[in-house]
Amino acid sequence: MTSQWEGATIVEAHDDEPPAVDSWEPVTVPGRPTAFAGDDSVAYRLRFGDPRSASDQRVLLDFRGVYGRARVWLNGELLGEHDTYFQSAQFEFDPEQENELIVECHRPTDGFGGVYETEMVPDSLAVPGIWWAAHLRLRPPAFVTDLMINPRLTDEGAVIDTAVCVDAAEPVDEPVTLSLRPEGFRGGGAMERVHVDAAAGERVTVTRTLTLRDPAYWWPRGYGDQHRYTVRAKFRDHERSRTTGVCPVRYDGGLWANGEKVQARGVNIMPSDSPTADLERAAAANCNLVRVHAHVLPQSFYDAADEAGILVWQDLPLTGTQTVDSGRGQELARTLSGEYDHHPSVALFGVHDDPVDPFPERLGSGRLARLRFRRRVSGTSFDRSTADTIASAFPESATVFPVCGPPGCSPDAAHLYPGWDYGDADTVDWLLDKYPEFGQVVSEFGAGSLTERGATPVGLDRERHDAVVGDDGAGASQTAQARLVKRVAEALRRHGTDILAGFCLRDVDAGGGMGIVSVDGTEKPAYDALADSFQPVVALLDGEPTGTVGVTVVNDSPAQVDGTFSWTAGDAGESIPVVVAPSAREPVGTISIPSGADRLELVVEAGGTRYVNEYSL
């Protein structure tokens, strides 16, 4: 669509006619017009001529990322409604010589707006509207309207189940050609024809299972190659395609991909204007997992994750203490899995994030604080029946964590904030010892920092921040964040946490936040600290970097580490041989850090690679 879109705040919505609005002004669609930040209802208008060049052409509106409850009007008539932003919104119509299209978008009220409907995200990122794509498409009388694919293992290898939907405005009695080919590697392909028999006005779905002989698997980065296959459905002169990969994932006493145990290290992704850049930044920090925190991103993000070998933990857009309808939740779970689970990277799903808040104010350190912590945990209750009911709607093969939250809600995946919500950084060791069940799957940990002195950015609790680091400006704030994030991340890795994800990668607002990268992309010290701690092979201190302290070498790689460990602090240091099995942790003794040193360096050398972990003293 090349005509100029206009937008306006809705003054009054009507049942049987387009909404009444304030004055129209030019806007960019797709996008989030900042002029309407904070508005609950926004309308968008486009005027255009008849786009057809032939009388038998069909005209479709195709929107992606329509956020909120939407109604679409053409020339004063209601075309249809839409309420799920991560599902495409398509409407067919017969254009007139001149046309007026109006899309009215209302902020969601069903509780499934996710993080966009919280104080964790600025209003500028949550404007009701058309966020991802807006197309006016011309189609022949009969065409492929959808292609759905689902890879799965069998006793003989693997198959890809396909379903092709043909929309016929005229009688159809001919085949759809299905082709399968490997992307970027040598492997077996396939081609089959599936007959379509449809009367005029029918929409018919035909299915076929394509066999993969000697399938090549998709692996998370660090464990193997990212083999993928593209399935194409061609009907007459029109075709649709989707790319997938074979990577069955399950959580059972550990995270398993393709039958091999993997360790997942990652970060939470919050809404931003550049999610694919965030993915690249996560990969550069030695992450092999991102958790899309209580929101959903466009397909291009998951395509990039497939290519990069980054596992994706995909949440439903549900967070906070509100009550939701389980039937609506099940509908969204089915839609979400149907839209995204053909991506081999999409490995895990979450349902309800942070359903309770047992720590409305920060708990301090010491014995009494730990007693209060235990009372908060034991005294907090949560009825998880709705989350479990929603989780049951995901495919049986999916790995789902129904409840993701703090201690106190019996979480399937824990949010642990030692040093931020309670205690100090060393509290992590007590926490993992006292409550080992919380340390197996950790969906959040971290701390916040400022990038500007005195700022009160969205997404950062200043009271907690000031209690932890004091209001000493951005430098001291970021140094404290880096120390805390590194301490907790390394304790979790030594503990053997199967899945861990820091919160979060990028701030959502200027001035600071919970991110290890500022909103403009500048890396904070915590970014390098986490990148060091997240190396697949790394030597980690068993506690604070002072005095005599133990060291553990962690090997998350699928190969045995057979090399040397060395350390240097000032004029002190030594080197010893070290052997660590795959997916194992090996204590290598203690080191004595001299009091005058300002930097400690731990190094593991194996297989021609040098893994360096630095501590500022």
Side-chain angles (χ1 to χ4, degrees), residues 222-223 261-263 265 493-494 535-540 552-562 578-586 604 606 611:
Y223 289 89
K261 190 172 184 180
V262 301
Q263 302 292 137
R265 312 173 304 274
R493 291 200 70 191
R494 286 187 290 103
Q535 294 175 96
V537 176
V538 65
L540 306 173
T552 299
V553 175
V554 174
N555 177 20
D556 280 358
S557 77
Q560 178 171 287
V561 167
D562 192 346
V578 63
V579 177
V580 188
S583 298
R585 286 112 183 85
E586 188 69 34
V604 177
Y611 304 94

Side-chain angles (χ1 to χ4, degrees), residues 72 142 144 154 162 195 222 228 281 294 310 339 341 350 433 440 455 478 481 514 533 565 614:
V72 180
V144 175
T154 66
T162 68
H195 192 77
R228 287 168 291 159
R281 193 69 63 90
I310 301 292
E339 290 284 328
D341 71 353
D433 180 62
Q440 297 312 114
Q478 292 179 30
Q481 179 195 33
M514 297 296 289
S533 303
F565 159 70
E614 294 185 357

Side-chain angles (χ1 to χ4, degrees), residues 87-251:
Q87 182 182 40
S88 64
Q90 297 183 342
F91 306 94
E92 184 173 357
F93 66 97
D94 293 320
E96 298 179 4
Q97 195 65 29
E98 297 296 331
N99 304 274
E100 182 182 71
L101 171 69
I102 293 178
V103 182
E104 59 172 298
C105 300
H106 304 272
R107 191 173 300 282
T109 57
D110 60 1
F112 289 100
V115 74
Y116 290 115
E117 299 306 311
T118 71
E119 295 180 353
M120 293 294 292
V121 171
D123 290 338
S124 59
L125 288 175
V127 178
I130 306 165
W131 290 354
W132 300 342
H135 298 289
L136 187 65
R137 302 191 186 278
L138 299 178
R139 293 289 181 258
F143 64 98
V144 175
T145 186
D146 201 6
L147 169 63
M148 294 160 283
I149 60 176
N150 178 47
R152 59 182 173 86
L153 294 181
T154 66
D155 292 338
E156 290 76 32
V159 298
I160 299 177
D161 296 322
T162 68
V164 183
C165 183
V166 174
D167 192 323
E170 62 184 18
V172 170
D173 184 14
E174 55 196 284
V176 167
T177 300
L178 283 168
S179 62
L180 168 71
R181 74 174 187 186
E183 289 293 324
F185 68 98
R186 290 188 175 184
M191 180 177 291
E192 296 193 27
R193 287 182 170 85
V194 187
H195 192 77
V196 179
D197 187 1
E202 277 193 303
R203 178 175 286 192
V204 175
T205 298
V206 295
T207 61
R208 183 58 56 92
T209 296
L210 304 176
T211 300
L212 290 172
R213 295 179 175 84
D214 298 321
Y217 294 103
W218 183 94
W219 291 93
R221 63 187 292 119
Y223 289 89
D225 295 325
Q226 290 75 51
H227 295 117
R228 287 168 291 159
Y229 296 87
T230 295
V231 177
R232 284 182 170 79
K234 185 174 182 180
F235 177 75
R236 296 180 178 174
D237 294 328
H238 184 253
E239 71 174 38
R240 295 287 295 269
S241 66
R242 280 196 171 184
T243 300
T244 190
V246 180
C247 184
V249 173
R250 61 186 173 89
Y251 184 75

Side-chain angles (χ1 to χ4, degrees), residues 429-441:
D429 296 318
W430 170 83
L431 182 65
L432 295 174
D433 180 62
K434 183 69 178 178
Y435 301 96
E437 67 273 18
F438 295 147
Q440 297 312 114
V441 179

Side-chain angles (χ1 to χ4, degrees), residues 412-425:
D412 304 289
H415 297 174
L416 303 181
Y417 284 93
W420 186 253
D421 281 349
Y422 37 79
D424 54 22

